[in-house]
Amino acid sequence: MYEQQTTEQALLELNVDRQSGLSAAEVQARLLQYGENAFEEKKAKTKLQMFLSQLKDSMIYILFGAMAISLLLGEYADAIIILAVILLNATIGMIQEAKAEKSLEALKKLSSPTALVRRDGKAVEIPAAELVPGDIVIMEAGRIVPADMRLISSVNLKIEESSLTGESVPVDKNADFIAEGEVTLGDRLNMAYLSTSVAYGRGEGLVVRTGMQTEIGKIAKMINDAGDEMTPLQKRLGDLGKLLGILAIVLCGGLFLVALIQDRDLIEMLLTAISLAVAAIPEGLPAVVTIVLALGVTRMVKVNTIVRRIPAVETLGSVSIVCSDKTGTLTQNKMTVTQAYVNGQLMNIDQLNYREAELFVDGFVLCTDATVMGEDRLGDPTELALVDMGIKLGITKEVLENKAPRVNEQPFDSVRKMMTTVHCYADGPIRGYTKGAMDQIIERCHSIRIGEEERLITPEDREKIEMAAKEMAQKALRVLAIALSNDNNEAKEENLTFVGLVGMIDPPRPEAAAAVEIFKQASVTTVMITGDHKDTAFAIAKELGIAESPEQCITGTDLNGMTQDELNLAVPNLRVFARVSPENKVMIVNAFRSHGHIVSMTGDGVNDAPSLKAADIGVAMGITGTDVAKGAADMVLTDDNFATIQKAIEEGRNIYNNIKKSVLFLLSSNLGEIITMFVAIVVGLASPLKAIHILWVNLITDSLPGLALGVDSGDPDIMKQAPRDPSESLFARGGLAITVFFGLVIGSITLFAFVYSPITLLLAAGHEVTFEAIKASYNNPEIYAHAQTYAFTVLGISQLFNAMGMRNLNKSIFRFNHFENRLMIIAFFVAFGLQIAVTEVPFLIASFGTVRLALGEWLALTALSTAPLWFHELFVLVKFLKKRNAAK
């Protein structure tokens, strides 16, 4: 732990001379020992590996089996269509997975390209990758820190660490600091870390860790090691695929048993088995779900959200914990003056008037090294806040400097904790302004200015000033004081006149509190995770409604003393985590997940990347977010607005509901096919459908309306409901009953259509209608083809009407606004037209083994196919009556 060592101990441990640095020979030896100052890369999957991984699915295995049997039996058209289905699904899956992770590339970009080091007694500029432990690096303002270093000298050194620790202002570094025991990353004042930047001052650092051993390297390793968790929907669909695979095998086994009992032809039964296996597998389901999710991604763009990993869209519907970084996410990442103590009064900045506090404002604005010119902002965030205060009150630093140019100064340093600038006013007087820590300024003041009056400062004045400072500090404001001196050409810091105080903070985003409240209504808990101090974090959390008492806050030091199991027990009562490290953040995410929560983690810094990766949903900020955070996240907010997360979760819930409607629709259609095939075979009839018929229905007449259901309009009250249980089955909340009910309806009318043609022919010929007579009719190839065409047509068209009703099972179709979903209207007529083409276009008739149908037949079959709609109305009526009776 180098932060606990003196400079001499660190130099001795690494065996390096401070004045000369390492020799060329030592550098080469250490390069061999430690390796380059670079990150290890995770080997990316090739396109072929991605493609092959899509084939590892039980539903795909069944289809491969069906294709093999089709080839053996010479049914080449069926085999080609089945292969096309397999390739289509695999290609779609590969395209989505091909969005390669870019986290490590972004981390590499953060590495400083060059470093100024002392070697062989000379200062030389070298590529940062050539740094080794023991190198002495010379640092100055504007440079990126090229490795993890123990500071060996520092002069007014400030380092910007917000992307690593979450600290909202640059940290004052001190090479003489020695840590007593273990301290958090943000409190190691004698250390500088790779990827942070020097904001002010200068110094020298001893390289102690390079490459994967640095703090950023540890983050890179955590990102590399993090596995890709399956989303709830992926798990449900995976389970469903296994279930359907088992069902297909059981049905085929049952079919052969029936064949043996009925003494049927083996080849005929193999063909029927293929049809049944194909019926059990919803071939269009993977493509429909993937495309619906992709369309959902397009909808998310409209709410300023870019989705990097498509399955993340549906996971949003289950989110019950939103873990948010404070700096730049819940807050504006912009220090802002919110309170002022001037003329003996404590007030909000909005109450301040420039004319009544001219010297107060002039002093704070002029006594800075920051500049704001339009969109260009240069300088320390604290000083930028002071310049912004002037702009808000109608005075710019440029105007003031023209009126009172700087003629002398004493720069800020961490020992005095103040700075002084001297200005010569155009109308004559020379004034010095001293700005700094209140306790240091007040000690040097002998007088106080109240309005236009200047008098000796009294104990009562000091008490009032200290009370005002204390009140600001209780709100976690950073307090600065301003004093002036007259005719002070030498910038002396004594016999000063106290003018006032300001309190500043990185304030909450205005829309964040409303988003937190909406989350509460939706039973979603907001949790703050930050590298900032506990008091500051709690003040912001309380203002936003995230936490109510300090007992709900915990620090990284406390977390370091806890095991994962101990944190798992404590986490239900915690809402704010302060001064945390990247490792702590991952622990926190895992603790909430241990309670069955689906966790969303938001953030923008390098320090957020591992937890973004570990969470179920990682959400990065698009504007202020680092490339590393964006690379590790599942989603990126293009407007950096915390409230956008609420809109994204709402959209995610609606998308999941639509996917569920699509899945239930497709499965009820498949169940109808299974019922049609199995019942017909069990009772001794010929096969009502060919494999190619079922594939056509599953891929064309099912998939088009299935997609239309996936883009249906959302439920306006969805954010008043609790999150969906991630373990909830797709068949929960009546889903199984819906699937079985409409599957029975579709199966029944398809079977009726299959026997309808033989029955009408028997009646027309004056023969008695018996089961044996119907069965014997199928021996006539023309009658059999006609009957299969009827069954095929009713099966396809009835599913189109079923899709219309599936839009809302709680409302009559006569109360639908059908133009809300124009895609459904398009899908209905396109699929209907394609179904007509199968019986009317000669080459399709030959491929599908169908026959032409007369207009009267089309009208009759269409009327029969509307049955799902009428049963939908009956279903809605029964639910309405039950609800009314329950209300009584």
Side-chain angles (χ1 to χ4, degrees):
M1 304 295 282
Y2 289 98
E3 63 271 12
Q4 297 176 24
Q5 296 180 349
T6 64
T7 302
E8 288 72 21
Q9 287 172 328
L11 288 163
L12 184 63
E13 181 174 328
L14 289 167
N15 191 25
V16 59
D17 180 74
R18 181 171 184 167
Q19 302 303 319
S20 60
L22 295 174
S23 67
E26 287 171 325
V27 169
Q28 289 305 313
R30 295 189 188 198
L31 267 175
L32 290 173
Q33 180 182 352
Y34 297 106
E36 282 197 337
N37 182 29
F39 299 125
E40 297 169 6
E41 295 187 41
K42 189 176 182 179
K43 192 175 180 181
K45 286 169 75 174
T46 65
K47 290 284 196 323
L48 179 61
Q49 288 172 322
M50 290 179 192
F51 182 83
L52 293 175
S53 69
Q54 308 304 317
L55 303 178
K56 297 175 182 177
D57 184 275
S58 53
M59 289 196 287
I60 299 296
Y61 298 152
I62 298 294
L63 289 177
F64 270 125
M67 184 185 75
I69 296 170
S70 297
L71 287 171
L72 288 172
L73 297 176
E75 297 290 331
Y76 299 117
D78 288 3
I80 289 169
I81 291 177
I82 293 170
L83 179 61
V85 169
I86 293 169
L87 294 177
L88 175 66
N89 284 332
T91 302
I92 291 172
M94 181 199 71
I95 289 168
Q96 301 307 333
E97 193 179 334
K99 295 184 175 183
E101 292 290 340
K102 294 182 180 179
S103 301
L104 290 174
E105 286 81 353
L107 280 163
K108 284 166 68 181
K109 287 178 188 175
L110 280 175
S111 303
S112 176
T114 61
L116 185 62
V117 300
R118 186 178 295 120
R119 287 181 178 175
D120 291 318
K122 298 176 183 177
V124 291
E125 191 95 16
I126 63 166
E130 295 178 10
L131 282 173
V132 294
D135 263 323
I136 294 174
V137 176
I138 300 165
M139 296 183 293
E140 54 194 17
R143 280 192 175 269
I144 300 293
V145 177
D148 284 5
M149 299 187 290
R150 168 62 165 91
L151 298 177
I152 57 176
S153 72
S154 58
V155 180
N156 301 330
L157 185 63
K158 291 186 180 184
I159 294 182
E160 169 62 60
E161 296 182 338
S162 64
S163 67
L164 180 64
T165 66
E167 185 75 60
S168 52
V169 295
V171 179
D172 289 314
K173 294 294 184 176
N174 182 0
D176 297 328
F177 172 81
I178 298 173
E180 296 180 6
E182 187 175 339
V183 292
T184 59
L185 203 64
D187 294 322
R188 298 172 190 172
L189 304 182
N190 55 2
M191 299 291 292
Y193 295 103
L194 173 65
S195 88
T196 59
S197 59
V198 180
Y200 191 82
R202 64 184 188 277
E204 291 184 358
L206 175 68
V207 174
V208 294
R209 283 182 288 268
T210 58
M212 296 300 288
Q213 301 306 311
T214 63
E215 292 298 327
I216 292 289
K218 292 175 187 176
I219 292 174
K221 187 176 188 303
M222 283 189 276
I223 295 172
N224 237 350
D225 293 345
D228 287 326
E229 284 278 326
M230 290 180 74
T231 70
L233 182 62
Q234 285 175 314
K235 292 172 185 174
R236 298 286 83 75
L237 291 177
D239 294 342
L240 179 62
K242 290 173 187 173
L243 178 65
L244 292 173
I246 294 167
L247 177 64
I249 293 167
V250 169
L251 287 172
C252 290
L255 199 63
F256 273 100
L257 187 62
V258 170
L260 289 171
I261 294 169
Q262 295 179 351
D263 196 26
R264 291 204 180 204
D265 180 73
L266 184 61
I267 300 298
E268 179 194 339
M269 280 300 99
L270 277 171
L271 289 170
T272 307
I274 292 170
S275 299
L276 200 56
V278 169
I281 305 297
E283 290 81 10
L285 181 60
V288 166
V289 170
T290 302
I291 293 168
V292 166
L293 285 170
L295 292 171
V297 168
T298 304
R299 288 170 65 169
M300 299 291 273
V301 171
K302 294 177 182 177
V303 291
N304 301 310
T305 305
I306 295 172
V307 178
R308 295 187 64 254
R309 203 165 64 89
I310 282 188
V313 175
E314 60 87 13
T315 312
L316 281 167
S318 294
V319 167
S320 53
I321 299 286
V322 174
C323 292
S324 177
D325 180 48
K326 178 186 75 68
T327 306
T329 308
L330 287 165
T331 65
Q332 299 173 29
N333 198 18
K334 179 182 176 184
M335 292 298 286
T336 305
V337 176
T338 58
Q339 285 201 307
Y341 177 79
V342 62
N343 296 332
Q345 293 183 325
L346 182 61
M347 63 186 75
N348 291 331
I349 198 66
D350 295 333
Q351 299 170 286
L352 191 63
N353 186 301
Y354 177 65
R355 289 183 180 178
E356 295 174 2
E358 187 173 339
L359 291 179
F360 172 86
V361 177
D362 286 2
F364 272 123
V365 173
L366 287 169
C367 194
T368 66
D369 291 322
T371 57
V372 176
M373 300 289 288
E375 295 298 315
D376 296 327
R377 299 171 59 81
L378 300 172
D380 180 275
T382 301
E383 294 196 334
L384 285 168
L386 297 172
V387 176
D388 286 337
M389 176 184 72
I391 293 170
K392 187 175 182 179
L393 294 171
I395 190 75
T396 66
K397 186 179 181 184
E398 185 181 14
V399 169
L400 286 177
E401 285 184 329
N402 287 334
K403 184 173 74 172
R406 186 183 298 189
V407 294
N408 200 356
E409 64 182 291
Q410 268 207 69
F412 175 88
D413 70 46
S414 55
V415 177
R416 291 169 25 253
K417 294 184 180 178
M418 65 180 72
M419 72 176 285
T420 298
T421 59
V422 180
H423 300 266
C424 180
Y425 278 77
D427 54 359
I430 293 177
R431 287 200 182 101
Y433 293 109
T434 302
K435 176 194 86 221
M438 187 216 67
D439 54 341
Q440 297 293 323
I441 297 285
I442 201 78
E443 283 181 8
R444 290 165 170 77
C445 290
H446 77 288
S447 59
I448 186 170
R449 188 178 181 92
I450 305 291
E452 296 299 319
E453 179 190 354
E454 193 172 307
R455 59 174 172 76
L456 291 176
I457 194 166
T458 66
E460 290 77 15
D461 292 325
R462 293 179 187 274
E463 187 177 347
K464 283 184 70 177
I465 293 165
E466 287 171 3
M467 287 292 290
K470 186 177 180 181
E471 190 173 330
M472 290 187 202
Q474 285 172 346
K475 297 175 183 176
L477 301 184
R478 184 176 187 186
V479 181
L480 289 177
I482 190 75
L484 65 83
S485 52
N486 293 311
D487 300 321
N488 182 10
N489 292 322
E490 297 176 13
K492 292 179 180 178
E493 294 169 341
E494 55 189 38
N495 296 322
L496 304 177
T497 300
F498 180 83
V499 180
L501 307 171
V502 291
M504 63 180 70
I505 196 168
D506 179 13
R509 291 178 174 271
E511 64 283 345
V516 170
E517 183 56 36
I518 292 172
F519 279 143
K520 285 181 181 178
Q521 293 175 17
S523 301
V524 176
T525 302
T526 307
V527 172
M528 180 190 287
I529 302 178
T530 179
D532 220 331
H533 293 278
K534 182 177 178 180
D535 291 344
T536 306
F538 175 64
I540 296 292
K542 188 174 182 182
E543 187 174 344
L544 291 173
I546 294 172
E548 296 175 358
S549 70
E551 287 71 35
Q552 293 176 295
C553 306
I554 192 171
T555 66
T557 304
D558 299 326
L559 291 175
N560 290 336
M562 300 172 76
T563 64
Q564 183 69 60
D565 289 338
E566 288 171 338
L567 180 58
N568 293 352
L569 290 172
V571 82
N573 300 316
L574 299 173
R575 294 293 176 269
V576 177
F577 299 83
R579 302 303 278 172
V580 295
S581 67
E583 293 89 344
N584 293 150
K585 293 186 178 189
V586 175
M587 274 183 73
I588 295 160
V589 169
N590 290 336
F592 280 113
R593 294 185 72 200
S594 73
H595 290 271
H597 290 292
I598 294 294
V599 180
S600 164
M601 171 70 191
T602 68
D604 59 356
V606 177
N607 60 326
D608 297 318
S611 48
L612 289 172
K613 192 82 174 176
D616 297 283
I617 293 284
V619 184
M621 298 294 140
I623 300 172
T624 58
T626 60
D627 287 342
V628 184
K630 293 173 192 174
D634 301 295
M635 297 180 354
V636 179
L637 306 184
T638 58
D639 61 354
D640 282 16
N641 191 333
F642 179 77
T644 299
I645 301 166
Q646 172 254 312
K647 295 174 187 172
I649 288 178
E650 181 176 355
E651 195 66 51
R653 289 186 178 189
N654 280 319
I655 288 168
Y656 180 83
N657 283 354
N658 287 343
I659 288 173
K660 183 174 179 178
K661 285 190 284 188
S662 294
V663 170
L664 294 182
F665 160 69
L666 292 171
L667 293 179
S668 64
S669 299
N670 276 82
L671 183 60
E673 295 162 6
I674 292 169
I675 290 169
T676 301
M677 295 292 294
F678 202 75
V679 170
I681 300 303
V682 167
V683 300
L685 295 176
S687 176
L689 299 161
K690 295 180 178 181
I692 197 169
H693 296 163
I694 295 168
L695 280 169
W696 174 265
V697 170
N698 287 358
L699 287 171
I700 306 299
T701 54
D702 269 9
S703 297
L704 292 176
L707 286 173
L709 282 171
V711 295
D712 219 3
S713 56
D715 179 356
D717 295 324
I718 198 129
M719 288 304 280
K720 293 178 182 175
Q721 303 168 16
R724 186 184 76 255
D725 186 338
S727 63
E728 179 180 290
S729 165
L730 284 164
F731 298 116
R733 305 186 193 186
L736 182 60
I738 291 165
T739 304
V740 172
F741 180 78
F742 286 102
L744 285 168
V745 170
I746 292 167
S748 300
I749 62 174
T750 304
L751 280 169
F752 179 76
F754 183 59
V755 300
Y756 179 74
S757 181
I759 289 172
T760 55
L761 289 170
L762 287 169
L763 289 172
H767 297 302
E768 184 181 358
V769 178
T770 64
F771 181 76
E772 291 302 321
I774 294 170
K775 187 176 174 183
S777 299
Y778 296 126
N779 293 326
N780 183 321
E782 289 185 12
I783 295 174
Y784 185 36
H786 215 89
Q788 279 194 325
T789 302
Y790 272 28
F792 179 28
T793 302
V794 168
L795 178 67
I797 296 174
S798 65
Q799 295 187 17
L800 299 180
F801 287 107
N802 185 33
M804 290 176 65
M806 275 284 182
R807 284 188 60 201
N808 193 330
L809 291 166
N810 298 311
K811 187 191 289 188
S812 166
I813 60 161
F814 299 108
R815 296 179 60 200
F816 284 8
N817 179 358
H818 292 283
F819 290 100
E820 266 185 347
N821 191 338
R822 298 183 184 209
L823 187 59
M824 178 63 79
I825 298 171
I826 294 168
F828 181 90
F829 285 107
V830 169
F832 204 118
L834 289 169
Q835 194 64 40
I836 292 172
V838 173
T839 64
E840 303 303 322
V841 177
F843 85 89
L844 290 176
I845 290 173
S847 299
F848 285 85
T850 54
V851 297
R852 286 181 182 273
L853 298 177
L855 179 60
E857 290 175 303
W858 270 110
L859 293 174
L861 293 176
T862 301
L864 178 61
S865 299
T866 61
L869 279 186
W870 304 115
F871 279 102
H872 169 274
E873 293 303 294
L874 178 64
F875 194 84
V876 171
L877 179 62
V878 169
K879 287 183 78 171
F880 171 74
L881 292 174
K882 279 185 178 180
K883 189 175 179 181
R884 191 175 69 175
N885 290 335
K888 290 180 180 178

